[in-house]
């Protein structure tokens, strides 16, 4: 078994592969390989352990014809052309569940940080500008008791809703379909996207990036939000139309935004979004706790080992479509 890993990852992921007898090749740079570098680096391997920074499509697979599994160390897989993989009998695997709570924690951290102006307040302290307790200083918005709108009520969206109960929030959600069991558990209420945008104090995005969700939040949607509302994006940057968001913030159509993901990613330091009032941008770190990143790496490795043994991997996207072709290999 020959496995190429496209960046340094937590040791447990590598150890899991090596202990199973795999030869592991690790891309040593801090930046991801370019397409040409990846093709040269991964020639002859059976598996690729990728990150969301790698774009995997049919042309890349054709240049790496020995690859039988792409194991993404992420739950999102919009960086992978799954149809192209399926067509070529390549299994696509991901790392759901293990990052759900850590990501939901982070969505809450962003919500609290923007609502209570943590960034400008700590910056003022660091600059020595804070001299005394101020009755009118850094006034924000309460999270407790506010209305939270969750767009995409899957694993992470529901985990955010569970946290919101502790803050006594009213929780609205929208998804492709109502989810009665999750509603019962979380107390959330299913509404249309329009109603959610009109009524929520905080709108938190948790849909995957797909052709349907690209620019799901654009000028018309932003104009429906309350002038006091905050947009939180821990899903994928292109779900929000960046230019429309800049305009909405500049024109004070909404009060603030907290973004762990942006389009483009990263934003250039002089990007107008970074100059907008009440904007907090973090470097795509919602799943970045030591324990969670280790679990993601381990699961990504286990996915690879299962596929290369001809077994059903713990978390695959297209296993049912590919298993027949794969079994011919064994
Ligand atoms: P999930 O369990 O699949 O939840 C996504 C939910 O969105 C599902 O209920 C899905 O419905 C719904 N959905 C899909 N397309 C929709 C549409 N067009 N309109 C309305 N709802 C739609 O995924 P998850 O584990 O919660 O992860 C969600 C996303 O978070 C990932 O895809 C990833 O991009 C992002 N993420 C980011 C970070 C980070 O570091 N910032 C970390 C983890 C995850 P169906 O089930 O019917 O498809
Ligand atoms: C991170 O963004 C993920 O999709 O896991």
């Amino acid at each position: 078994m020959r496995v190429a890993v496209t960046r340094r990852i937590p040791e447990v992921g590598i150890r899991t592969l090596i202990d199973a007898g795999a030869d592991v090749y690790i891309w040593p740079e801090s930046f991801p390989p370019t397409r040409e570098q990846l093709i040269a680096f991964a020639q002859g391997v059976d598996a690729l352990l990728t990150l969301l920074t790698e774009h995997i499509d049919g042309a890349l697979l054709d240049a790496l014809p020995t690859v039988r599994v792409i194991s993404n160390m992420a739950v999102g897989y919009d960086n992978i052309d799954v149809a192209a993989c399926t067509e070529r009998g390549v299994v696509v695997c991901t790392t759901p569940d293990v990052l759900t709570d850590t990501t939901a924690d982070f969505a809450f951290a962003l919500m609290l940080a923007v609502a209570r102006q943590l960034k400008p307040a700590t910056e003022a302290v660091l600059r020595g500008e804070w001299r005394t307790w101020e009755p009118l200083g850094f006034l924000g918005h309460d999270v407790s008791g506010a209305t939270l709108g969750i767009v995409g009520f899957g694993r992470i969206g529901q985990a955010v809703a569970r946290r919101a109960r502790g803050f006594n929030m009213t929780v609205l959600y929208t998804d492709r379909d109502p989810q009665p069991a999750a509603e019962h558990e979380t107390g959330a209420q299913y509404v249309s996207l329009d109603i959610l945008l009109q009524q929520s104090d905080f709108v938190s995005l948790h849909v995957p990036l797909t052709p349907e969700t690209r620019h799901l939040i654009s000028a018309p949607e932003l104009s429906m939000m309350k002038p006091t509302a905050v947009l939180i994006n821990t899903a994928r940057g292109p779900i929000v139309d960046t230019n429309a968001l800049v305009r909405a913030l500049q024109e004070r159509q909404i009060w603030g935004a907290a973004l762990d993901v942006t389009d483009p990613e990263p934003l250039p330091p002089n990007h107008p979004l970074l100059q907008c009032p009440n904007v907090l941008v973090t470097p795509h770190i919602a799943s970045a706790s030591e324990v969670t990143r280790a679990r993601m790496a381990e699961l990504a490795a286990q996915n690879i080992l299962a596929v290369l043994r001809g077994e059903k991997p713990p978390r695959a996207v297209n296993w049912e479509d590919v298993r027949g072709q794969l079994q011919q290999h064994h």
Side-chain angles (χ1 to χ4, degrees):
M1 294 185 286
R2 290 165 36 102
V3 181
V5 182
T6 59
R7 214 89 58 80
R8 286 193 291 269
I9 62 168
E11 181 58 26
V12 62
I14 304 300
R15 182 61 36 216
T16 302
L17 292 166
I18 289 174
D19 287 351
D23 292 331
V24 181
Y25 306 89
I26 304 169
W27 179 252
E29 315 282 337
S30 3
F31 280 101
T34 63
R35 166 172 289 251
E36 293 67 33
Q37 286 171 327
L38 182 55
I39 290 169
F41 171 65
Q43 271 310 315
V45 302
D46 305 295
L48 277 184
L49 196 159
T50 51
L51 309 183
L52 49 83
T53 41
E54 278 72 71
H55 181 69
I56 308 295
D57 58 17
L60 183 94
L61 295 173
D62 290 342
L64 296 172
T66 54
V67 169
R68 282 182 281 151
V69 49
I70 304 289
S71 183
N72 218 31
M73 198 184 115
V75 62
Y77 53 91
D78 46 279
N79 58 312
I80 301 173
D81 181 342
V82 177
C85 290
T86 303
E87 213 175 284
R88 291 161 179 79
V90 174
V91 185
V92 177
C93 299
T94 58
T95 61
D97 296 323
V98 293
L99 48 55
T100 295
D101 281 325
T102 302
T103 306
D105 286 353
F106 199 78
F108 244 86
L110 288 182
M111 182 159 44
L112 287 161
V114 166
R116 299 302 303 278
Q117 306 221 50
L118 291 199
K119 182 169 164 268
T122 50
E123 282 171 355
V125 172
L126 285 171
R127 285 196 299 262
E129 288 168 7
W130 182 62
R131 299 287 167 84
T132 182
W133 191 87
E134 293 167 284
L136 298 175
F138 301 107
L139 300 184
H141 293 284
D142 283 323
V143 169
S144 291
T147 297
L148 169 64
I150 298 177
V151 180
F153 210 51
R155 290 169 290 243
I156 298 168
Q158 290 174 30
V160 169
R162 284 193 286 274
R163 282 153 179 74
R165 291 190 81 166
F167 282 78
N168 200 22
M169 299 180 94
T170 299
V171 182
L172 309 176
Y173 78 93
T174 193
D175 200 286
R176 282 205 273 240
D177 301 300
Q179 304 196 26
E183 275 185 35
H184 185 71
E185 191 217 334
T186 60
Q189 186 195 341
Y190 181 77
V191 292
S192 67
L193 179 60
D194 288 7
I195 297 287
L196 183 147
L197 294 167
Q198 287 159 14
Q199 296 190 357
S200 298
D201 300 305
F202 298 91
V203 173
S204 192
L205 306 179
H206 300 286
V207 285
L209 176 61
T210 64
E212 294 77 46
T213 63
R214 184 174 291 275
H215 286 195
L216 182 68
I217 304 298
S218 193
E221 291 74 28
L222 290 160
S223 71
M224 283 183 220
M225 290 173 66
K226 297 180 183 181
T228 49
V230 170
L231 179 70
I232 297 136
N233 190 2
T234 54
R236 282 289 180 272
I239 295 166
V240 177
D241 176 343
T242 302
N243 294 334
L245 178 60
V246 169
R247 278 194 300 277
L249 287 161
Q250 285 171 341
E251 292 166 14
R252 311 259 170 178
Q253 265 175 29
I254 67 170
W255 189 75
L259 313 166
D260 185 47
V261 289
T262 55
D263 179 23
E265 194 170 299
L267 290 170
N270 61 351
H271 193 282
L273 188 54
L274 298 174
Q275 321 308 324
C276 286
N278 294 331
V279 170
L280 184 64
V281 178
T282 51
H284 205 145
I285 54 168
S287 70
S289 78
E290 285 188 20
V291 166
T292 291
R293 285 287 167 82
R295 286 186 180 142
M296 291 165 70
E298 189 172 12
L299 178 53
Q302 286 165 345
N303 280 331
I304 287 176
L305 294 175
V307 174
L308 296 185
R309 289 174 181 142
E311 296 162 8
K312 183 178 178 183
R315 304 311 296 246
V317 174
N318 61 347
W319 175 250
E320 291 309 321
D321 301 324
V322 173
R323 62 187 297 184
Q325 297 174 60
L326 197 77
Q327 272 152 10
Q328 288 166 13
H329 266 284
H330 284 268

